[in-house]
Each structure stands twice: as C-alpha cells, then as structure tokens.
Amino acid sequence: VGQGNGAFHDLAFVTRGSTVTTVDPSGVPTTWTVTATEVTVKTDGVDPAVFAGPTGPRELVLVTCGGQFEPAIKSYADNVYVWAEPTPYLATVRNHA
C-alpha cells in the first residue's frame, strides 16, 4: 500500500489456460500453461506444496498477497496462487512439394 502496483498486481485475474513466460539467468525463456488458481485466507499460512523442491514434474507456482489491506496487521488478507506446467513444444512439420 502506498508503493504502487507490484509485479504480481494482476495475478488474481490470471485464469486456467493462460500462459506465463519466465526467463532463466542465461536468457532462455520457458512458457508455462496455468493449470490452477486459488485464493486462500492468509491466516492459513502459505501452502507448503509451493516449496516441494526439485523432485517430481516441473511446476511453476506464483504466490502473492491479495484481497483487502488490513491496516491492523499491515498486510493483505489473502494469498493468491497460480500453478502452471511447462507448455508442450509443438513441432511444426513443413511439407515441401
């Protein structure tokens, strides 16, 4: 509050099927397809599944705060989650006639 919109300001409006692109330190982009979104009450804490680590299938989880700002606790009321998986690469086959 008072600092302007952050990078994830509109994260709560991302929908299933949307795409997100990240870029690694080498400049290589990865496109992700959103598989799920969720808003939870912040008092429930952060879902431990977002800290799953390097095992299992690749997954991107974006987390930010959302909902109403609660001045008494100097925080927002909710956590916003977006889960995504790598978008499959679709090879293009060219027919030369």
Side-chain angles (χ1 to χ4, degrees), residues 11 26 38 51 55 62 64 72 76 79 82:
L11 195 63
S26 300
E38 183 178 14
F51 304 110
T55 60
L62 305 172
T64 193
Y76 289 86
N79 283 330
V82 171

Side-chain angles (χ1 to χ4, degrees), residues 4-63:
N5 297 337
F8 285 176
H9 177 261
D10 292 328
L11 195 63
F13 302 106
V14 172
T15 58
R16 188 171 185 243
S18 296
T19 58
V20 174
T21 301
T22 58
V23 179
D24 74 13
S26 300
V28 177
T30 299
T31 300
W32 305 81
T33 300
V34 174
T35 57
T37 63
E38 183 178 14
V39 177
T40 63
V41 177
K42 187 174 273 213
T43 56
D44 292 343
V46 174
D47 183 343
V50 305
F51 304 110
T55 60
R58 286 183 75 197
E59 180 178 51
L60 175 69
V61 184
L62 305 172
V63 183

Side-chain angles (χ1 to χ4, degrees), residues 71-94:
I73 60 171
K74 298 180 182 172
S75 183
Y76 289 86
D78 302 323
N79 283 330
V80 177
Y81 298 89
V82 171
W83 285 272
E85 60 187 29
T87 302
Y89 173 76
L90 301 175
T92 302
V93 178
R94 295 183 183 192

